[in-house]
Amino acid sequence: MPDKLNLKWIKAASYEEMSKIAADLFMEQLHEKPESVLGMATGGTPEGFYKEMVARYNAGEISFVHTKSFNLDEYVGVDPKNVTSYHYYMDQNLFNHIDIKRENIHVPVGNTDDLATTALEYDAAIAAVGGIDMQLLGIGVNGHIGFNEPGTPFSLGTNVVELTESTREANKIYFDKLEDVPTHAITMGIDTIMKSKKIVLLISGASKQEAMNRLRSGEITEDFPASALHNHGDVTVIYTGVK
Ligand code: PGA
């Protein structure tokens, strides 16, 4: 699909194919540079991607022993060991199954009293290792990337955000009830994400059609956070189940 701006679009025939194409890109990245810094994402969309990465690790095709990782976001007030935390999600889906060193794993800490300092230190830690080489992203039904909700200034680094009702509604499947979904999260900012050298955005399923349409329109606006990606020179969008 031609893009008026910078995005490269890849249409996948199925969810499995989307996951495999994304895994191919990350594998290529790790083969070129084993000490890559990877930006990781959570949610339903990348689960197949992580399965694929674990399968390739088990097949001896890939190693993470020199790799560093930084996750996009975490809920505020949730212990990393809690089953609803994104740290737990990453352990279950990827980290427990591969050879990445624990000290090279970074997920924002959401259960701290000093979130502002935690946020600043997160960006500093990313910068200290030379920045993220390849960042994985999903997209929210409202166009958020990470937890950067509509209206977020593109200039923000890692910060604390209040989640919108639509995001809490979308994520309540992971909780007993809506009231249990945290109201706040700590997230890499749009500026943090945009500093990644390469970005891979996964879009899957009909619930993302409106977000897909807006992204494809090419309009760049802070009301639609993912539109910042049009200003980045190396974004691959892999999509399936959306037109
Ligand atoms: P999902 O979340 O993969 O669970 O749809 C994506 C996102 O909110 O960024």
Side-chain angles (χ1 to χ4, degrees), residues 194-205:
M194 291 292 284
K195 284 184 175 139
S196 308
K197 291 167 195 123
K198 296 177 198 161
I199 294 177
V200 177
L201 169 63
L202 304 183
I203 307 182
S204 169

Side-chain angles (χ1 to χ4, degrees), residues 16-41:
E16 288 70 31
E17 190 181 293
M18 177 196 75
S19 305
K20 284 194 168 120
I21 296 169
D24 287 346
L25 293 176
F26 276 81
M27 205 160 91
E28 203 177 303
Q29 173 68 35
L30 285 178
H31 284 165
E32 267 169 32
K33 186 180 175 189
E35 67 282 16
S36 287
V37 181
L38 304 183
M40 298 282 92

Side-chain angles (χ1 to χ4, degrees), residues 4-177:
K4 283 190 236 96
L5 298 151
N6 276 324
L7 309 188
K8 181 178 168 203
W9 298 86
I10 301 176
K11 182 181 167 83
S14 64
Y15 177 78
E16 288 70 31
E17 190 181 293
M18 177 196 75
S19 305
K20 284 194 168 120
I21 296 169
D24 287 346
L25 293 176
F26 276 81
M27 205 160 91
E28 203 177 303
Q29 173 68 35
L30 285 178
H31 284 165
E32 267 169 32
K33 186 180 175 189
E35 67 282 16
S36 287
V37 181
L38 304 183
M40 298 282 92
T42 52
T45 310
E47 282 176 9
F49 163 79
Y50 292 126
K51 279 204 181 78
E52 197 55 44
M53 294 299 271
V54 170
R56 292 172 191 212
Y57 169 74
N58 286 333
E61 294 169 19
I62 193 170
S63 167
F64 299 84
V65 75
H66 300 296
T67 305
K68 297 184 176 67
S69 77
F70 285 85
N71 261 79
L72 281 170
D73 45 21
E74 179 60 282
Y75 289 120
V76 164
V78 176
D79 187 280
K81 293 200 167 52
N82 187 287
V83 294
T84 60
S85 79
Y86 284 168
H87 201 130
Y88 186 88
Y89 169 105
M90 288 306 300
D91 283 346
Q92 294 297 311
N93 282 281
L94 184 67
F95 299 146
N96 286 350
H97 311 292
I98 60 170
D99 59 350
I100 192 166
K101 292 185 178 146
R102 279 279 145 189
E103 67 264 30
N104 287 336
I105 292 171
H106 307 269
V107 182
V109 177
N111 64 337
T112 154
D113 289 340
D114 191 353
L115 287 163
T117 303
T118 303
L120 285 175
E121 287 175 354
Y122 202 66
D123 282 337
I126 294 171
V129 295
I132 291 169
D133 290 298
M134 185 173 273
Q135 174 69 54
L136 183 70
L137 292 180
I139 189 168
V141 287
N142 62 4
H144 73 202
I145 48 174
F147 268 136
N148 295 285
E149 302 285 30
T152 307
F154 288 171
S155 57
L156 284 189
T158 297
N159 67 107
V160 176
V161 294
E162 183 171 2
L163 302 176
T164 61
E165 280 315 298
S166 100
T167 294
R168 294 182 67 237
E169 206 39 69
N171 288 2
K172 82 173 179 202
I173 50 167
Y174 302 107
F175 295 83
D176 290 336
K177 51 186 188 310

Side-chain angles (χ1 to χ4, degrees), residues 167-221:
T167 294
R168 294 182 67 237
E169 206 39 69
N171 288 2
K172 82 173 179 202
I173 50 167
Y174 302 107
F175 295 83
D176 290 336
K177 51 186 188 310
L178 181 62
E179 298 79 70
D180 294 343
V181 183
T183 54
H184 290 76
I186 176 167
T187 181
M188 280 187 202
I190 305 269
D191 184 61
T192 317
I193 293 170
M194 291 292 284
K195 284 184 175 139
S196 308
K197 291 167 195 123
K198 296 177 198 161
I199 294 177
V200 177
L201 169 63
L202 304 183
I203 307 182
S204 169
S207 68
K208 305 291 171 65
Q209 187 63 58
E210 198 185 321
M212 175 84 177
N213 295 346
R214 279 195 85 176
L215 183 63
R216 205 157 37 189
S217 79
E219 186 200 359
I220 299 174
T221 165

